[in-house]
Amino acid sequence: MSDPVVEAKRDAGIRAADMVKDGMVVGLGTGSTVFFAMERLGERIRSENLHIFGVPTSNQTAMRAEEYGIPLTTLTLHPKLDLAIDGADQVDPKKRMIKGRGAAHLREKVVADAANQFVVVIDAGKEVAGLDAAVPIEVLPFAYGSVVRRLQELGGEPVMRNGVKKDGPVISDNGNYVIDCAFGAVADPAGLETAINAIPGVLGNGIFARMTEKTVVIVGGRK
């Protein structure tokens, strides 16, 4: 019996991939739903002779793109993208979101900012009335202690993200620490996003609240 969540993710990924047109440069997010989109893009490259370039947001995504036969490029060569496809951990009715369970949120935000259109693929379980998940924050290792103090002053409960199959902290693809900081219900996502980013030593956080106008949310299994 098929898993309905997996099928919803596959549906969302395929629908996003079918938005890509010949000649586009596409940001490729990180995570299982995006990988379904990448699988579909690989199929279209082979069957339709689709010509595209992808900009990966993580080493994992780059490896998967190579597996699917998606040619890769960089933001240096293509600083403006046609669209970016990515997932999310929570999305509210105003299309504000929390991302970063895969610790790629800093590169994902850079790529989303560079794109004309930000296509977010989720299953229905990621829809929420209000954002309340812990916020992933990428931190310069040198500044870890002072960042933790400042996050506590903001009312957060910061916790270092530790590895599952290795001892010690998770290290991002950029060589930094990742802190997961719980704030409870986030009444002002844009304000909190700005406040966290203003802390010296913070390189980026997983609240995406300032690109809603160009965001399209595709919920798998729902037309």
Side-chain angles (χ1 to χ4, degrees):
M1 182 179 296
S2 61
D3 185 327
V5 174
V6 172
E7 290 307 311
K9 290 181 176 183
R10 178 179 286 109
D11 175 63
I14 290 172
R15 287 162 58 193
D18 286 345
M19 293 175 64
V20 175
K21 298 178 181 179
D22 194 58
M24 281 188 168
V25 184
V26 182
L28 302 173
T30 299
S32 58
T33 311
V34 178
F35 292 158
F36 285 123
M38 292 170 61
E39 183 178 37
R40 171 62 176 160
L41 287 173
E43 293 173 355
R44 292 188 61 198
I45 288 170
R46 293 188 298 273
S47 65
E48 302 174 23
N49 198 29
L50 181 73
H51 291 89
I52 63 169
F53 284 105
V55 175
T57 56
S58 66
N59 295 333
Q60 183 189 32
T61 298
M63 293 171 65
R64 191 65 65 92
E66 292 173 354
E67 177 184 337
Y68 292 143
I70 301 172
L72 297 179
T73 186
T74 66
L75 287 176
T76 302
L77 294 175
H78 294 92
K80 191 68 175 177
L81 309 180
D82 294 291
L83 61 81
I85 301 173
D86 210 342
D89 302 318
Q90 286 189 332
V91 181
D92 76 5
K94 295 183 179 180
K95 297 187 287 189
R96 300 171 299 189
M97 62 196 73
I98 291 178
K99 294 171 45 55
R101 193 168 294 170
H105 49 285
L106 177 55
R107 293 191 188 187
E108 288 172 343
K109 189 172 286 188
V110 170
V111 166
D113 178 71
N116 290 328
Q117 190 172 44
F118 185 35
V119 182
V120 178
V121 288
I122 59 171
D123 61 85
K126 304 297 176 59
E127 293 182 297
V128 294
L131 303 179
D132 61 4
V135 179
I137 303 166
E138 186 157 339
V139 177
L140 189 72
F142 172 79
Y144 169 73
S146 60
V147 169
V148 164
R149 176 180 62 82
R150 290 289 303 279
L151 289 171
Q152 290 170 336
E153 291 173 355
L154 285 178
E157 299 178 1
V159 176
M160 173 76 81
R161 187 182 299 186
N162 287 307
V164 174
K165 295 185 178 180
K166 65 174 285 294
D167 292 333
V170 168
I171 305 298
S172 75
D173 286 354
N174 308 307
N176 301 306
Y177 293 159
V178 176
I179 293 173
D180 293 307
C181 192
F183 291 93
V186 180
D188 179 12
L192 182 58
E193 180 180 10
T194 298
I196 295 171
N197 283 341
I199 299 173
V202 168
L203 301 170
N205 73 79
I207 299 176
F208 286 56
R210 299 189 176 278
M211 49 186 77
T212 57
E213 289 186 1
K214 66 177 180 181
T215 298
V216 175
V217 179
I218 298 177
V219 183
R222 184 185 306 158
K223 301 302 181 182

